[in-house]
Amino acid sequence: MRPRLLYLITEDWTFWEIRRDLARLAREAGYEVMIATRVTAHADRIRREGFHLIPITMLRESRNLFREFLTFVELVRIYHRIRPQIVQHVAMKPVLYGSFAAWVTGVPVVINLFGGLGYAFTDRPEGASIIRTLLRRGLRSAIALSRSIVVIQNSDDREVLIREHIVDSSCIRLIAGSGVDIHRFVPVEPTTGDPIVMLVGRMLWDKGVGEFVDAVIRLQKRKVRARFVLVGRVDQGNPTAISETQLQQWVQEYGIEWWGHREDLPTVLGQAALVVLPSYREGLPKVLLEAAACGKAVIATDVPGCRSVVQHHQTGLLVPVRDAAALAEAIAELLGNAELREVLGANARQFVVCEHSSSRISGEFLSLYRELLGPSAPVATKTSSASV
């Protein structure tokens, strides 16, 4: 009988865009793969892949205590019914609720994956400290009770979790993101005409979209010729979401292009001369890795996650966080130096190929599964071994 591997993740689009490759390889390696997630648009795709889909009602943005309790009860019932041998919780709320549910139902192996430490751990005014304190205590209890292994994506997050006494260092593994399909994201020449400066990501203030717009205004005053493009969905489930009204206002006032959510990212990134991500904090930003795999010069903020991808003046440029003036200077520097863009892009591509291919990262997860399951882990077939 194949061991059951359950992924608990808040949104079906997050699974589809970020964790799908890992789930495929796990299935090929001999696991019965199940996905518990809130279903919005990808149910048919997930089922066609051969995964068992379990719709849940978990909402990232909910603060209603009664609704949150019902979500926890729902997870307990799911875990009790399907009896997974291994469960992987992805992101903050699944880690918190899922770990307690796994403890109650006796799930043998629990992996808690922090995609990043998110809103509550980003430097903020005093109001967020209460959330941070409650979250810290809840996570500490949930992780300890479920005897879970914690997977983080960068060393900065590791130090925070240890310093906050959320988890012991012996229970932490560092696996750098989810990897990039280096055969799908490949270098192509950007479009002709004015160069495109592109920010790809959810439309959140925390992604530095406001600083990007401020930098655009500064560059326009300097008569810098370029097209400035935002690519990404409006994510109203996030506390720092930017409204569509605000986005349309920027389009009208400053000529910024907003392309919305796009699934053809290799084609989209291929049009860019350079890609920027002035985020406040990341786990390991996949879009920077995808842009790098496409051979694009990238500009990012010198914050956790981003600095794990971008080495200053080697694979891209780093700028201070929340500093639109510095961002504008970096954009102007690269727009004015095509040779530097080419060198940085080539170095970035090589870095991703060597360190961050999806096969390599998925292989690290499969090795972790085998380590934790022991003799009950499936024996790798030739097909799955070749894949990783």
Side-chain angles (χ1 to χ4, degrees), residues 312-330:
H312 190 54
H313 274 294
Q314 296 182 43
T315 61
L317 300 182
L318 290 172
V319 298
V321 66
R322 296 184 174 92
D323 191 336
L327 178 61
E329 287 299 326

Side-chain angles (χ1 to χ4, degrees), residues 109-127:
V109 176
V110 179
I111 297 174
N112 284 320
L113 171 60
F114 288 87
L117 294 185
Y119 178 81
F121 286 87
T122 305
D123 293 335
R124 295 187 179 281
E126 185 177 351

Side-chain angles (χ1 to χ4, degrees), residues 89-100:
H89 305 130
V90 182
M92 200 70 70
K93 188 174 282 191
V95 166
L96 185 61
Y97 296 176
S99 293
F100 282 122

Side-chain angles (χ1 to χ4, degrees), residues 98-352:
S99 293
F100 282 122
W103 168 60
V104 170
T105 56
V107 176
V109 176
V110 179
I111 297 174
N112 284 320
L113 171 60
F114 288 87
L117 294 185
Y119 178 81
F121 286 87
T122 305
D123 293 335
R124 295 187 179 281
E126 185 177 351
S129 64
I130 299 174
I131 298 175
R132 183 169 178 163
T133 298
L134 294 174
L135 185 59
R136 182 176 67 240
R137 292 175 179 174
L139 288 172
R140 182 189 303 146
S141 298
I143 290 169
L145 288 171
S146 63
R147 296 174 296 173
S148 66
I149 291 295
V150 169
V151 175
I152 45 87
Q153 300 189 105
N154 65 71
S155 57
D156 292 285
D157 287 353
R158 179 182 185 275
E159 296 309 311
V160 170
L161 292 175
I162 294 172
R163 185 177 67 246
E164 300 273 3
H165 304 292
I166 292 171
V167 61
D168 187 80
S169 60
S170 63
C171 298
I172 297 178
R173 304 286 194 279
L174 196 161
I175 299 180
S178 55
V180 176
D181 185 343
I182 58 175
H183 304 294
R184 180 168 172 248
F185 291 87
V186 295
V188 295
E189 288 296 320
T191 56
T192 57
D194 289 341
I196 292 177
V197 180
M198 184 178 292
L199 187 158
V200 181
R202 288 174 294 156
M203 295 294 101
L204 308 175
W205 295 107
D206 274 10
K207 293 292 183 182
V209 176
E211 284 77 11
F212 177 76
V213 173
D214 194 347
V216 170
I217 295 170
R218 293 168 184 267
L219 292 168
Q220 289 176 341
K221 289 179 179 178
R222 293 164 55 174
K223 307 300 183 183
V224 173
R225 290 184 60 86
R227 292 168 59 191
F228 298 98
V229 175
L230 294 169
V231 180
R233 57 167 50 87
V234 173
D235 183 8
Q236 296 299 341
N238 190 287
T240 70
I242 298 172
S243 69
E244 184 169 345
T245 300
Q246 178 64 78
L247 290 164
Q248 294 295 349
Q249 183 178 336
W250 287 333
V251 170
Q252 295 298 322
E253 291 186 8
Y254 307 117
I256 294 171
E257 301 174 41
W258 177 42
W259 293 1
H261 173 64
R262 296 285 296 269
E263 294 194 356
D264 56 335
L265 270 185
T267 301
V268 170
L269 289 169
Q271 299 177 63
L274 61 100
V275 175
V276 304
L277 184 65
S279 183
Y280 297 171
R281 188 183 187 100
E282 293 284 332
L284 197 79
K286 189 170 186 180
V287 68
L288 288 184
L289 293 170
E290 291 169 339
C294 291
K296 302 301 178 181
V298 296
I299 301 171
T301 38
D302 188 7
V303 298
C306 291
R307 55 174 168 252
S308 298
V309 176
V310 181
Q311 293 81 48
H312 190 54
H313 274 294
Q314 296 182 43
T315 61
L317 300 182
L318 290 172
V319 298
V321 66
R322 296 184 174 92
D323 191 336
L327 178 61
E329 287 299 326
I331 293 172
E333 178 183 354
L334 289 186
L335 286 177
N337 193 333
E339 183 179 353
L340 178 59
R341 292 202 306 270
E342 184 175 347
V343 169
L344 294 177
N347 291 344
R349 165 73 182 179
Q350 186 62 28
F351 169 69
V352 173

Side-chain angles (χ1 to χ4, degrees), residues 1-7 15-16 19-35 44-52 86 362 365-366 369-370 378-385 387-388:
M1 181 176 178
R2 295 184 297 162
R4 288 182 173 176
L5 167 60
L6 173 66
Y7 294 100
F15 167 77
W16 187 256
R19 306 294 165 188
R20 176 185 52 189
D21 289 345
L22 170 59
R24 283 173 173 168
L25 288 176
R27 182 193 58 209
E28 292 171 10
Y31 294 90
E32 182 182 358
V33 177
M34 302 181 168
I35 317 298
D44 290 341
R45 289 175 171 179
I46 292 172
R47 291 191 177 105
R48 282 198 299 267
E49 283 284 339
F51 304 133
H52 179 61
I86 181 170
S362 295
F365 274 106
L366 293 182
Y369 299 164
R370 288 192 291 269
V379 177
T381 63
K382 291 183 180 180
T383 300
S384 61
S385 299
S387 298
V388 296

